[in-house]
Amino acid sequence: AQKITQTQPGMFVQEKEAVTLDCTYDTSDPSYGLFWYKQPSSGEMIFLIYQGSYDQQNATEGRYSLNFQKARKSANLVISASQLGDSAMYFCAMRGEDSGGYQKVTFGTGTKLQVIP
Amino acid sequence: GAGVSQSPSNKVTEKGKDVELRCDPISGHTALYWYRQSLGQGLEFLIYFQGNSAPDKSGLPSDRFSAERTGGSVSTLTIQRTQQEDSAVYLCASSLATGPGGNEQFFGPGTRLTVL
């Protein structure tokens, strides 16, 4: 079974500082994808970054980078130079296949990030 | 349209009534996903379609829930005999394909369902 764990229900960061949001996962599927989404108070889900299980390098997208440590099964999101607009819920998610060969998508419980001016 | 659309945006219904939620995916996206998000919670995966086929319905919460997709495009999620615990935001997403590859899901704005 797939599992995503986000242990930080809430985080504060000073504007312009970097922040790391933790995500650990568990799966028996050797091929999977890891995603991070941002959900502002407006409710929309915004895709941030993707990491494939076979990707050798950590994914980066602008101010977002994914610290992928496969042996530790962690996929932490690093946001550099935080901005006030980064205040939102952040969800880690995994897409893979279960033992029956069916696709499953599992989301973590989220981390609420608040950027302090 | 340019993005995923869902209708209605808000639905208030009485306990015991049936509701139908609609999702229009991005044109050309073969994969379509339904999720449920209760207040302050993460997303609960309900079902996905590859084309018109939903190979695994085990994520649906109960047999009161059903979903279909026609023409590889529009999908409807139907909840029969609604209960108060069905109150949530129902999110639809689409992507170019399934599989663990980097096919990001594009989400719609959701339908907020309130069962009185």
Side-chain angles (χ1 to χ4, degrees):
Chain A
Q2 293 182 174
K3 187 176 181 181
I4 292 280
T5 302
Q6 294 181 256
T7 57
Q8 306 153 315
M11 291 275 288
F12 290 91
V13 64
Q14 202 76 37
E15 193 178 6
K16 300 180 184 177
E17 297 289 310
V19 63
T20 298
L21 306 183
D22 294 342
C23 173
T24 58
Y25 62 91
D26 193 18
T27 180
S28 56
D29 188 354
S31 179
Y32 50 89
L34 296 157
F35 301 79
W36 276 92
Y37 286 87
K38 172 184 178 181
Q39 188 176 42
S41 57
S42 57
E44 61 189 305
M45 292 289 286
I46 303 167
F47 167 77
L48 296 178
I49 197 166
Y50 163 81
Q51 181 83 43
S53 59
Y54 294 121
D55 292 344
Q56 296 296 314
Q57 294 190 328
N58 287 345
T60 60
E61 289 286 347
R63 294 187 298 112
Y64 304 108
S65 61
L66 200 153
N67 184 2
F68 182 46
Q69 298 189 38
K70 195 170 182 177
R72 295 184 178 184
K73 293 188 175 180
S74 73
N76 298 341
L77 176 70
V78 180
I79 305 174
S80 62
S82 297
Q83 302 172 357
L84 295 178
D86 293 336
S87 295
M89 282 290 286
Y90 288 80
F91 292 99
C92 180
M94 176 168 61
R95 184 165 68 194
E97 290 185 354
D98 66 12
S99 57
Y102 298 124
Q103 185 182 161
K104 294 291 185 187
V105 183
T106 305
F107 277 74
T109 52
T111 296
K112 184 172 184 178
L113 177 66
Q114 296 186 61
V115 180
I116 305 167
Chain B
V4 179
S5 61
Q6 292 185 247
S7 61
S9 55
N10 278 285
K11 177 71 176 178
V12 180
T13 190
E14 293 180 348
K15 178 181 173 182
K17 301 277 189 179
D18 297 351
V19 296
E20 193 171 275
L21 312 180
R22 177 187 168 108
C23 172
D24 278 277
I26 293 173
S27 178
H29 280 192
T30 58
L32 186 148
Y33 306 80
W34 282 100
Y35 297 89
R36 178 169 70 173
Q37 186 176 29
S38 300
L39 186 64
Q41 302 296 312
L43 273 68
E44 177 187 4
F45 175 63
L46 299 179
I47 192 170
Y48 80 96
F49 288 87
Q50 178 57 39
N52 292 334
S53 174
D56 180 19
K57 298 179 172 60
S58 63
L60 295 175
S62 75
D63 57 9
R64 297 185 293 105
F65 287 71
S66 62
E68 65 174 19
R69 188 180 187 195
T70 55
S73 182
V74 172
S75 176
T76 54
L77 177 69
T78 301
I79 309 173
Q80 296 178 309
R81 305 181 302 281
T82 52
Q83 303 294 312
Q84 288 182 331
E85 61 262 29
D86 299 334
S87 296
V89 175
Y90 289 82
L91 289 162
C92 173
S94 71
S95 70
L96 280 171
T98 58
N103 292 301
E104 66 180 273
Q105 296 179 33
F106 294 84
F107 280 81
T111 293
R112 182 176 297 278
L113 175 66
T114 303
V115 182
L116 301 177

